[in-house]
Amino acid sequence: MGAGTGRFAMHYPGAVGIDPSLNALKVAKKRGVVTVCGCGEHLPFKDESFGSIFIIVTVCFVDKPWEVLREARGVLKKEGSIIIGLIPKDSPWGMFYGEKKKSGHPFYSSARFYTVKDVENMLQIAGLKISRIRSTLLQRPDEQRKVEESVEGYINGAGFICIEAKPVPCEGIF
């Protein structure tokens, strides 16, 4: 979801990418991604269509992220996973991009960054629960770049977090 130009989706053969930008989807299609023009708040897919859904650096660019997560849960298979890539608001990188937003940067000016706790609350509203977190980008924005391995768990201050969420089973009262 939020496939954009397919930079991430192109690494998954057979990936279906949805995005509202036709221009971005044209690039994604050239990269081998099956493309669908649409938005995350109103997915044009049947219930339980996907075993996994990736929402990478997208939550910060949608108006109602909890609705996007609820829609994603609806098209996710019962045993499936949603993977969210997030730049935490309270990390050095979140603050760095927050400053770019304030200065009117053309890309980041529309972004709304969230903490991991914010996303956890949104997931709960959507009927999802965090099953795993990995952290990376432990270097600060003002440091020289180096390749890093991701670390299991949430590391406070990490600039990029991957959250795996799974559906919370619905238990009816009978």
Side-chain angles (χ1 to χ4, degrees):
M1 294 175 68
T5 62
R7 184 176 301 276
F8 298 114
M10 67 189 254
H11 298 288
Y12 296 91
V16 176
I18 185 166
D19 199 279
S21 170
L22 281 172
N23 288 333
L25 289 175
K26 286 177 186 176
V27 176
K29 190 171 188 169
K30 287 179 184 173
R31 291 178 165 167
V33 178
V34 176
T35 60
V36 176
C37 189
C39 65
E41 293 88 350
H42 306 285
L43 294 175
F45 306 111
K46 292 181 183 178
D47 288 352
E48 298 184 31
S49 296
F50 297 98
S52 59
I53 297 172
F54 291 78
I55 306 173
I56 309 299
V57 196
T58 299
V59 170
C60 61
F61 290 106
V62 296
D63 291 332
K64 297 178 182 174
W66 56 92
E67 286 186 18
V68 169
L69 295 169
R70 187 176 298 149
E71 279 287 300
R73 185 193 191 284
V75 299
L76 186 68
K77 292 181 180 176
K78 284 181 176 65
E79 301 299 320
S81 295
I82 294 175
I83 307 297
I84 299 167
L86 172 74
I87 299 168
K89 177 182 183 174
D90 52 357
S91 73
W93 286 92
M95 291 179 227
F96 173 75
Y97 290 118
E99 287 300 316
K100 287 187 174 286
K101 172 188 173 77
K102 286 179 189 172
S103 69
H105 187 279
F107 186 70
Y108 296 106
S109 61
S110 64
R112 282 181 309 280
F113 296 100
Y114 300 99
T115 66
V116 171
K117 187 66 178 168
D118 293 335
V119 174
E120 185 175 24
N121 291 338
M122 290 177 208
L123 288 166
Q124 186 177 9
I125 291 167
L128 297 155
K129 184 175 181 175
I130 293 175
S131 59
R132 185 175 182 199
I133 297 180
R134 292 194 67 89
S135 302
T136 193
L137 201 53
L138 303 174
Q139 57 202 286
R140 300 180 59 84
D142 57 351
E143 294 178 346
Q144 186 175 3
R145 305 294 184 266
K146 60 184 178 215
V147 176
E148 297 178 356
E149 293 291 324
S150 66
V151 179
E152 189 68 36
Y154 171 55
I155 305 297
N156 189 22
F160 192 81
I161 306 294
C162 281
I163 298 172
E164 178 184 37
K166 296 202 172 267
V168 175
C170 296
E171 296 183 20
I173 301 172
F174 298 102

